[in-house]
Amino acid sequence: MNAPQVPISHLPSSIGARSARRAYILLELVIALSIFAIAVLGLANSLSTSVEVSNILNRENAIQIGMRSFIEELRKKPLADMSTSYTDPNLGVTYTSKMERLGIRTTRGETLSDLYDLQVTALYTYGMEERTEYVSVYVYKAQQR
């Protein structure tokens, strides 16, 4: 016995609805994955930027430590040798120092003759940009008589 055949017009409309639901779920999935991909790309970009900024700050910190060391070494030298230049090949920095006599007067009108202004400049490049750091320290250096 053959089962009676039902005309197509009498089939339940659930087949078309099921197909539409599947297409809607697929569309939701594509939209969700697109939003997730945009978020991940944004996070990756911000991570890259933060690593670059961290590298810049670490290098500037190393340069500042080098400037402090340079100043301490200069303070040990005689007055005639305090104006000098040094290049650090590891950091690619050139430290330059310059001494100037300070003309500070006391309340009695006397000039303090053994005070100097030690100026240290660090010159370096980062990428294509040339940068300069500057420090000025007052130094007491008694003249040998």
Side-chain angles (χ1 to χ4, degrees):
M1 282 198 182
N2 287 344
Q5 294 206 349
V6 181
I8 293 181
S9 61
H10 294 3
L11 284 177
S13 63
S14 64
I15 293 175
R18 228 182 285 150
S19 173
R21 262 186 271 141
R22 285 184 186 153
Y24 186 70
I25 289 173
L26 181 62
L27 179 64
E28 286 180 336
L29 185 62
V30 167
I31 291 171
L33 286 175
S34 299
I35 292 171
F36 180 73
I38 290 170
V40 167
L41 286 174
L43 287 173
N45 188 23
S46 65
L47 178 65
S48 170
T49 302
S50 65
V51 166
E52 184 178 338
V53 168
S54 175
N55 288 337
I56 291 170
L57 291 175
N58 284 339
R59 184 161 187 224
E60 286 180 356
N61 187 39
I63 289 169
Q64 289 175 357
I65 290 171
M67 286 177 77
R68 286 186 208 131
S69 298
F70 186 63
I71 289 171
E72 289 304 315
E73 289 297 319
L74 287 174
R75 289 177 66 189
K76 295 176 187 176
K77 291 184 177 186
L79 188 62
D81 296 337
M82 290 183 84
S83 293
T84 186
S85 183
Y86 169 74
T87 301
D88 185 349
N90 294 332
L91 292 175
V93 180
T94 301
Y95 300 104
T96 306
S97 64
K98 183 171 76 171
M99 290 286 289
E100 290 182 4
R101 182 182 300 266
L102 289 175
I104 298 177
R105 295 193 179 273
T106 64
T107 54
R108 291 181 265 161
E110 300 169 347
T111 302
L112 299 175
S113 60
D114 295 337
L115 278 179
Y116 298 90
D117 183 16
L118 174 61
Q119 301 167 3
V120 175
T121 305
L123 181 66
Y124 63 100
T125 57
Y126 187 79
M128 299 299 287
E129 181 182 352
E130 193 170 272
R131 297 185 179 187
T132 303
E133 298 287 330
Y134 175 79
V135 174
S136 179
V137 179
Y138 291 167
V139 176
Y140 173 78
K141 202 68 147 166
Q143 291 182 354
Q144 298 174 344
R145 295 179 181 151

